[in-house]
Amino acid sequence: MTGLNKVVIVGLGLIGGSLAAGLQKAGACQKIIGVARREETCQQALKMGVVDQAVTHISEVASELGKGDIVFISVPTLTVRAIVEQLKACIPSDVIITDGASVKGSVRDDVREIYGHFPANFVLGHPIAGSEQSGVEASNPDLYVKHRVIVTPMPQNNAEAVTAVRAMWQAVGAEVLEMEVDDHDVVLASTSHLPHVIAYSLVDTLAHDSHNENIFRYAAGGFRDFTRIASSDAIMWRDIMLANKRSVLDAIDLFSSNLSRLRALIDKEDATEITGVFTRAKFARDRFTKMLEHKAYSSPMQNTEEKLVVYTVAPGGQIKGRIRVPGDKSISHRSIMLGSLAEGTTHIEGFLEGEDALATLQAFRDMGVVIEGPEQGTVTVHGVGLKGLQKPSGALYVGNSGTSMRLLSGILAGQSFQSELTGDVSLSKRPMNRVANPLRDMGVTIDTEENGRPPMVINGGSALKGINYEMPMASAQVKSCLLLAGLYAEGETTVTEPAPTRDHTERMLRGFGYNVQREGNVVSVKSGGKLTGTDIDIPADISSATFFMVAAAICPGSDITLTHVGINPTRIGVVNILRLMGANLSLENEREVGGEPVADIRVQYAPLKGIQIPEDQVPLAIDEFPALLIAAACAEGKTVLTGAEELRVKETDRIQAMADGLTALGIECESTPDGIIVVGGQLTGGTVESCHDHRIAMSFTIAALRASGAIQVNNCANVTTSFPNFVDLAREVGISLEVNCA
Ligand code: S3P
């Protein structure tokens, strides 16, 4: 029994009846009273047991009601006014009143007019649930389970009343959200009211067209799926359209103009632009489907309700097989960026369909670039040229991806429009001044939050000038950002790196026919050139291959081959470091694909020893340290990492996250400001936190191979940012991994 006293439900249709049934099932209140105009409805509700008492007019029970009781108005939108008038006449002011109407602005205005002010105990609400069935007979106690109820409190509301209404909905299993009244009506106009307008209109059009007399006989699944909602209660929906007239008209106008535009494209047979509309829509719908299944975390909405994905890994095992891990993340980002800025078409194979690279892809779609795919790693980008991007209609959301945000900021600095870059909770804590400051030196105004944190607002439209920039840290993202801005800057843009960093941007610019100069550690571009669309074959990502390289290196009896892996000299720190530790690792079938060297990497088990990691290898293995520290934990003796302070500003502070996890698994280690010391030993079982960092999660997964007990890794949803099929491949090569969602 919760704290709910009596609940009176005025209107015993599907919505009211289901609330009554749900409250009964939960035993959530002292008494449920139903009010229905028709005596038969009252009898039916009593017979079904959804209410304890049923009356035909609220005045019959008004004298029983007092403080803490709730009256829920569940009648069609345009009838709410009449009910509110009845309530005002007979209900004491300390009774809480709430409603379920689909439009909130009209109810707010009616309530205010009837009472002469907005009563503190009147809480507006809207359960987002229903079905095509109606009437008390259709009542379903589980209708609200895991459904959303939007409460739209007014400033005049008493906080206790709002809490009581929330508690009532939570008691029947609903998830309660809050919104402003006007926002609610605008959002619902687009997401619910407009689809109903279109469905009713389409069926009406087809049903009345004499040529289509037989339409329903021949109509296939598409028609059925699309028009399901045209079977909803016609009068209820008529009332909703009238009550939310302004917002509905705005939504219809926007849709009509887009439909006319699509008509013109079909008329002109403009295949590319039609592809643009359909691919954008398909991508958005696929993402929505995933969101509903809680598979992706990466839209802003999803981010707040991220599913807790937990990996449980059984100890022991052997790593065997021949596998190809997904495409390189850095190259995937750049292929979309340069493909979009090129003239002509770019075909990409081996594209990484992970959340980070998809965020970049979506950002360019949002700027009007037509992109086909990804379809099993194949993407076709219809380039718009260096000056062809369009202002996006909202902020560009790049999820967890630092590479997207930093590289995009360079491109956006050169555009004529203002843009905003936003990201998820983790990205919103990462430093952006490292790109914003040199871009400011080039002449663009950039606003960030305090200490250079995202969102970044980039005020394009200023003339950029080339600069000579000495990078204070070894960062490929900063270098790439400035080179990309340099494509738009007057004169030459020169970046000096303190140590070599990955050079995919330079290689790919050349692949697109753009001249890039390098002398020693200085790289430069001049504006005025153009990019020409090309074909790109993306090698497998050495950073993803690393988890299985280390897995085989630590696990007796292992022998694995990772095929078609990119072995760009600026990325092979992991190979060098593992070899220094004594790993039995060979590069086979070395070749060059589309300007990038690749090889099959074979790793067989051999005992590892602890080493002092050479500092010149640090930038060349910057993403591989979480996994390498697992190798260190399994090596004999001490491994010392220095010169790696950059690890502290990755998706999480990777030094701290690894130190905490290793300590939890019984390994002696000590973090230092710029690195860590790990003493090899016996890993125990235990629970570790990934800190929502994909690479930490995967590293502790492979640690279980050498642990004495099972390892549980918490918060692994972000593995999909870089390695969407990690779990399948891990199982394929011999890791016993269970995934649970909380
Ligand atoms: C990347 C550069 C590196 C790396 C990141 C990808 C790139 O970041 O850690 O995962 O694609 O340019 P920094 O530039 O911050 O070192």
Side-chain angles (χ1 to χ4, degrees):
M1 186 106 143
T2 69
L4 296 175
N5 300 345
K6 290 178 195 139
V7 174
V8 182
I9 296 178
V10 184
L12 289 174
L14 171 77
I15 294 293
S18 297
L19 175 64
L23 290 170
Q24 289 288 30
K25 187 175 169 189
C29 47
Q30 278 172 13
K31 184 176 181 186
I32 302 175
I33 304 166
V35 182
R37 241 177 339 116
R38 293 169 57 237
E39 183 58 37
E40 300 84 71
T41 311
C42 294
Q43 290 312 319
Q44 176 68 21
L46 283 169
K47 201 165 101 200
M48 292 170 68
V50 296
V51 295
D52 302 310
Q53 183 186 354
V55 294
T56 52
H57 198 280
I58 182 73
S59 57
E60 295 173 50
V61 287
S63 61
E64 293 186 33
L65 302 178
K67 192 169 166 48
D69 295 333
I70 299 179
V71 176
F72 173 57
I73 309 172
S74 171
V75 296
T77 303
L78 294 186
T79 320
V80 174
R81 186 183 171 98
I83 300 294
V84 174
E85 275 165 349
Q86 291 175 15
L87 295 177
K88 182 184 180 236
C90 65
I91 295 291
S93 64
D94 51 2
V95 172
I96 298 164
I97 304 175
T98 184
D99 76 313
S102 306
V103 180
K104 304 281 34 115
S106 61
V107 178
R108 173 197 57 198
D109 297 346
D110 284 346
V111 170
R112 220 189 249 144
E113 206 182 302
I114 291 165
Y115 283 87
H117 64 278
F118 200 92
N121 280 335
F122 204 120
V123 182
L124 300 165
H126 176 203
I128 315 269
S131 90
E132 290 69 56
Q133 294 169 315
S134 49
V136 71
E137 298 78 12
S139 300
N140 168 9
D142 299 323
L143 185 71
Y144 301 108
V145 173
K146 294 203 171 128
H147 276 70
R148 289 183 172 157
V149 172
I150 303 175
V151 176
T152 56
M154 297 287 291
Q156 295 86 343
N157 276 152
N158 168 342
E160 273 173 38
V162 177
T163 307
V165 170
R166 294 183 72 114
M168 176 181 83
W169 287 115
Q170 280 157 352
V172 293
E175 183 195 349
V176 183
L177 309 175
E178 281 191 19
M179 263 174 124
E180 299 258 335
V181 169
D182 292 330
D183 290 348
H184 169 277
D185 288 358
V186 170
V187 169
L188 269 287
S190 315
T191 56
S192 168
H193 308 169
L194 178 66
H196 280 82
V197 167
I198 297 169
Y200 280 123
S201 170
L202 177 70
V203 176
D204 187 45
T205 306
L206 297 182
H208 283 97
D209 184 336
S210 56
H211 298 294
N212 287 323
E213 247 173 21
N214 282 327
I215 188 83
F216 298 120
R217 196 176 308 157
Y218 300 117
F223 177 83
R224 190 186 57 216
D225 292 347
F226 186 80
T227 57
R228 179 179 59 79
I229 52 177
S231 285
S232 309
D233 185 325
I235 302 305
M236 179 183 101
W237 280 99
R238 176 202 66 192
D239 288 357
I240 289 172
M241 301 310 162
L242 296 177
N244 200 20
K245 177 177 151 186
R246 193 61 263 157
S247 299
V248 169
L249 290 181
D250 287 347
I252 293 176
D253 289 348
L254 181 64
F255 176 69
S256 306
S257 81
N258 281 343
L259 190 61
S260 308
R261 191 173 160 262
L262 185 54
R263 185 192 184 285
L265 295 176
I266 296 171
D267 189 24
K268 278 192 294 182
E269 297 176 21
D270 187 336
T272 306
E273 287 301 314
I274 298 170
T275 310
V277 176
F278 288 5
T279 47
R280 279 196 301 276
K282 176 181 160 39
F283 189 82
R285 184 61 175 82
D286 289 350
R287 194 146 267 246
F288 178 63
T289 310
K290 274 199 208 157
M291 251 171 73
L292 293 180
E293 293 167 0
H294 284 272
K295 274 194 189 144
Y297 72 93
S298 61
S299 73
M301 190 175 173
Q302 189 86 3
N303 207 26
T304 56
E305 54 191 51
E306 182 185 325
K307 274 240 146 184
L308 297 178
V309 176
V310 175
Y311 288 177
T312 308
V313 200
Q318 268 180 1
I319 298 299
K320 292 232 152 118
R322 187 179 169 85
I323 54 169
R324 177 167 170 166
V325 300
D328 188 279
K329 183 150 78 74
S330 294
I331 302 179
S332 295
H333 282 297
R334 288 156 171 86
S335 67
I336 297 292
M337 293 179 183
L338 299 192
S340 297
L341 299 179
E343 290 170 24
T345 306
T346 291
H347 293 286
I348 306 167
E349 294 291 336
F351 180 79
L352 167 66
E353 294 180 44
E355 299 291 330
D356 279 13
L358 291 173
T360 291
L361 191 153
Q362 184 60 30
F364 283 89
R365 276 196 176 132
D366 289 348
M367 292 190 281
V369 181
V370 175
I371 303 175
E372 294 173 52
E375 194 74 61
Q376 293 179 330
T378 301
V379 181
T380 303
V381 185
H382 298 268
V384 295
L386 280 166
K387 300 258 158 74
L389 296 179
Q390 291 160 25
K391 181 176 168 56
S393 59
L396 297 169
Y397 175 76
V398 295
N400 194 243
S401 178
T403 308
S404 308
M405 188 170 282
R406 296 204 177 111
L407 271 58
L408 263 165
S409 68
I411 294 172
L412 294 171
Q415 307 306 313
S416 55
F417 49 81
Q418 189 199 58
S419 51
E420 182 177 8
L421 288 165
T422 61
D424 71 1
V425 179
S426 149
L427 184 57
S428 300
K429 292 185 191 141
R430 297 183 66 188
M432 293 300 145
N433 269 343
R434 53 178 56 201
V435 287
N437 284 338
L439 287 174
R440 288 177 183 127
D441 292 346
M442 292 177 82
V444 63
T445 310
I446 297 183
D447 305 315
T448 63
E449 291 296 300
E450 226 176 299
N451 297 324
R453 309 289 154 182
M456 297 178 84
V457 176
I458 299 165
N459 298 290
S462 2
L464 297 186
K465 53 183 190 311
I467 55 166
N468 215 317
Y469 190 65
E470 298 240 356
M471 267 198 308
M473 74 294 284
S475 166
Q477 292 178 355
V478 176
K479 173 180 67 176
S480 302
C481 164
L482 299 180
L483 294 178
L484 291 169
L487 304 180
Y488 297 92
E490 192 195 321
E492 192 172 31
T493 301
T494 299
V495 183
T496 305
E497 349 184 56
T501 64
R502 65 191 70 191
D503 63 357
H504 306 300
T505 306
E506 299 92 297
R507 283 177 190 254
M508 202 182 282
L509 278 169
R510 290 192 193 106
F512 276 86
Y514 208 98
N515 189 18
V516 182
Q517 296 292 332
R518 173 174 279 278
E519 265 174 55
N521 61 344
V522 182
V523 49
S524 53
V525 291
K526 283 191 188 136
S527 58
K530 67 167 189 158
L531 303 174
T532 307
T534 184
D535 289 352
I536 300 177
D537 182 356
I538 301 179
D541 196 330
I542 193 166
S543 299
S544 299
T546 291
F547 301 105
F548 299 116
M549 287 159 61
V550 171
I554 61 174
C555 200
S558 298
D559 184 355
I560 190 155
T561 301
L562 297 144
T563 62
H564 205 77
V565 181
I567 50 157
N568 180 311
T570 58
R571 296 286 296 280
I572 54 162
V574 59
V575 170
N576 300 336
I577 294 168
L578 280 176
R579 278 185 170 151
L580 288 172
M581 294 177 82
N584 180 359
L585 185 155
S586 54
L587 302 183
E588 299 171 352
N589 195 12
E590 285 190 45
R591 58 211 181 270
E592 191 166 301
V593 177
E596 291 277 350
V598 297
D600 301 336
I601 302 180
R602 182 172 182 193
V603 185
Q604 291 161 281
Y605 171 75
L608 300 181
K609 58 179 191 301
I611 58 164
Q612 165 80 49
I613 297 174
E615 285 200 6
D616 63 356
Q617 295 301 310
V618 170
L620 311 184
I622 193 68
D623 291 337
E624 285 63 80
F625 284 107
L628 282 169
L629 296 177
I630 299 298
C634 300
E636 199 191 322
K638 211 192 294 181
T639 296
V640 182
L641 171 66
T642 55
E645 56 277 2
E646 276 294 300
L647 291 180
R648 293 203 181 270
V649 289
K650 294 293 177 191
E651 284 82 333
T652 187
D653 176 342
R654 285 186 175 158
I655 292 175
Q656 201 50 50
M658 288 308 296
D660 292 345
L662 288 171
T663 306
L665 300 177
I667 295 293
E668 193 187 329
C669 61
E670 186 194 330
S671 64
T672 59
D674 70 338
I676 186 168
I677 301 162
V678 178
V679 183
Q682 174 61 56
L683 285 154
T684 63
T687 299
V688 292
E689 298 301 325
S690 78
C691 305
H692 300 268
D693 183 317
H694 52 136
R695 300 202 195 280
I696 305 287
M698 290 184 274
S699 299
F700 283 115
T701 302
I702 59 166
L705 290 163
R706 278 283 292 269
S708 57
I711 294 184
Q712 179 178 317
V713 192
N714 288 338
N715 294 316
C716 299
N718 278 1
V719 165
T720 53
T721 58
S722 67
F723 203 156
N725 62 341
F726 171 71
V727 170
D728 292 340
L729 285 183
R731 286 180 179 150
E732 186 182 326
V733 299
I735 298 176
S736 296
L737 168 56
E738 229 187 80
V739 181
N740 290 300
C741 294

